[in-house]
Amino acid sequence: MRLVSLVLLVSGLLVGASNDLSSLLSKRGISFATASNSSYPNITAPYNLRFENEFQPAAVTFPETAHQVSEVIRIGSRLNYNVVARSGGHSYIANGLGGKNGSVVVDLRKFTEITVNSSNGTARVGTGNRLGDIALTLGASGRAIPHGTCPYVGIGGHASYGGYGFTSRMWGLTLDHIASLEVVLANGDIVTASQDENPELFWAKRGAGGSFGITTSIEFRTQAVPSSGVGFTYAWLMNVTDATQALDDFQEFVQSDIPAELGPMLFFFPGSPKGYVTFGLTGGWYGGLENLNSTLEPFLTKMPEPSNVLFQNATFVESLQFAGDGYVLPLNTSLKPDTNDTFYTKSIMTPANKTVPTAAWEGFMSYLANEGNETSLKWAIEVEVYGGSNSAVNSVPLDDTAFAHRGSLFTFQLYVSSPNSKPPYPEDGFTFTDGLANSITSNSPSDWDYGAYPNYIDDRLPDWQQRYYGTHYQRLQSVKRAVDPSNIFTFPTSIEP
């Protein structure tokens, strides 16, 4: 067959499949958008504009019930489409658009029900909800779950891969509070996953959720809200030597007997002149304002006078607006639109029960204070505290969930944006971010078996299977073969059957 004829044949088949898809979705009464709709560009706009116009889904569907989700999956499977879920749409690499062309997207924005069971303290949450709105609704009933600080993040992905926030040392990760899930499988079956029903699926969904089925609702075990919440930020301008010493001191501090009510995090921004870095301590405190100073004192007494100090003492729900670094974000996501950025992110989770060597801190601070001072790129670094004494994150046995990094002390988020936060993303952004990661790993022991955090997903990580899932990957593959043997739910970092 001549090449031109072959191209025409393939094009015809694709158009035919697309027409079949639209026709079948219409017959089932399911709302959807394809490239022929004027709203399609806005609907398919990614959170990370590095992927703007890169992925073109065959259709974005808007089901309203689990039964309609089942219909979408059955139609997609019948026509040989891959199917992906999109909750809040905050995937760092646009996995919610399929991570490639031609996927069918199940947009869960209409699954916004939240009900609280006052008798047992559980809450049923639709996976179209975002973190800020969940916090407000649960808080009105005096309940809460641990989660991150960005109000616009969707609960579906957040709870599938971790879910870290300032309350995590006190309560654990978001996924640690899942009691059960309603999941639509690759064959269209709607099942419950819990410790008693489909326990292997339940295990896998709590750590690698998107690969096994589409979750339409989550039952959470909730916590009673504390009587108050305090957001705090301290900032210093420091040279490399002093910042390295401060990092050693901070590591010693969080490995001491600090209370679970303390959720600290370090942040770093550019400093001036060259050779300096802005060193910050931020976080949440849930033990009463009168005890915060004495809790932080062992670390602060080793530090110089800060250039800036900020306290925000409020009710617990009000304190959730404090995003760290001094930023306040309203929890009601309808009050202002979500914002986009153009960025690349790498993450490093320290090996279980290992400390960061001084040489790694020094290499890291030297890179930020020198190369970081010279670049036109915008960067912001977080060093999140997962471990330390009394941490609920690391009190969960490693194999209880698919989350593979119990025992880690720190998670580094290395976040680098284009100079104006708009596309295109410059090539030197990748080089700079790789250098940031290497400044830590190359100055650590050769057997430093670090991990990576799957909610800070990285499309350039070559050994992502090991870094994200560690010893759990083969078991995850086994579950994948059992529930999705045809690999319907696939995207660039999905579990491979």
Side-chain angles (χ1 to χ4, degrees), residues 149-376:
T149 58
C150 177
Y152 297 95
V153 169
I155 190 64
H158 194 64
S160 290
Y161 297 99
Y164 168 85
F166 291 150
T167 58
S168 287
R169 290 192 69 259
M170 180 171 63
W171 289 339
L173 300 172
T174 307
L175 62 78
D176 293 330
H177 281 64
I178 298 175
S180 68
L181 308 103
E182 181 179 74
V183 183
V184 188
L185 299 178
N187 64 4
D189 287 353
I190 302 170
V191 303
T192 296
S194 68
Q195 293 286 12
D196 299 321
E197 298 181 70
N198 301 295
E200 276 296 281
L201 177 63
F202 184 57
W203 175 84
K205 289 289 288 182
R206 293 173 299 147
S211 296
F212 305 100
I214 294 182
T215 302
T216 52
S217 69
I218 306 172
E219 181 189 22
F220 287 105
R221 294 181 294 270
T222 67
Q223 301 280 347
V225 300
S227 58
S228 65
V230 180
F232 60 88
T233 296
Y234 295 82
W236 300 265
L237 183 65
M238 306 184 81
N239 62 32
V240 172
T241 300
D242 291 343
T244 301
Q245 183 60 55
L247 284 165
D248 269 339
D249 291 339
F250 182 74
Q251 182 165 235
E252 181 181 354
F253 168 67
V254 297
Q255 289 176 313
S256 66
D257 190 27
I258 61 171
E261 291 82 5
L262 178 66
M265 181 180 76
L266 298 180
F267 66 89
F268 300 94
F269 292 125
S272 183
K274 181 179 178 180
Y276 284 78
V277 64
T278 299
F279 183 116
L281 167 67
T282 191
W285 167 252
Y286 310 99
L289 182 61
E290 67 279 3
N291 296 319
L292 176 57
N293 288 335
S294 60
T295 300
L296 294 176
E297 184 179 14
F299 173 66
L300 294 179
T301 54
K302 296 181 179 181
M303 298 289 285
E305 192 72 20
S307 58
N308 187 46
V309 178
L310 174 66
F311 284 91
Q312 294 185 334
N313 186 24
T315 67
F316 173 78
V317 175
E318 290 171 341
S319 76
L320 297 178
Q321 298 179 97
F322 181 77
D325 314 345
Y327 291 105
V328 176
L329 299 172
L331 297 176
N332 185 340
T333 60
S334 67
L335 294 180
K336 58 181 293 189
D338 197 1
T339 56
N340 300 88
D341 194 7
T342 306
F343 64 95
Y344 174 57
T345 297
K346 301 186 81 69
S347 66
I348 294 173
M349 301 190 76
T350 58
N353 305 313
K354 301 282 186 179
T355 58
V356 180
T358 300
W361 289 134
E362 184 175 16
F364 186 41
M365 288 300 98
S366 179
Y367 194 94
L368 291 181
N370 293 291
E371 285 85 345
N373 192 280
E374 295 174 341
T375 184
S376 62

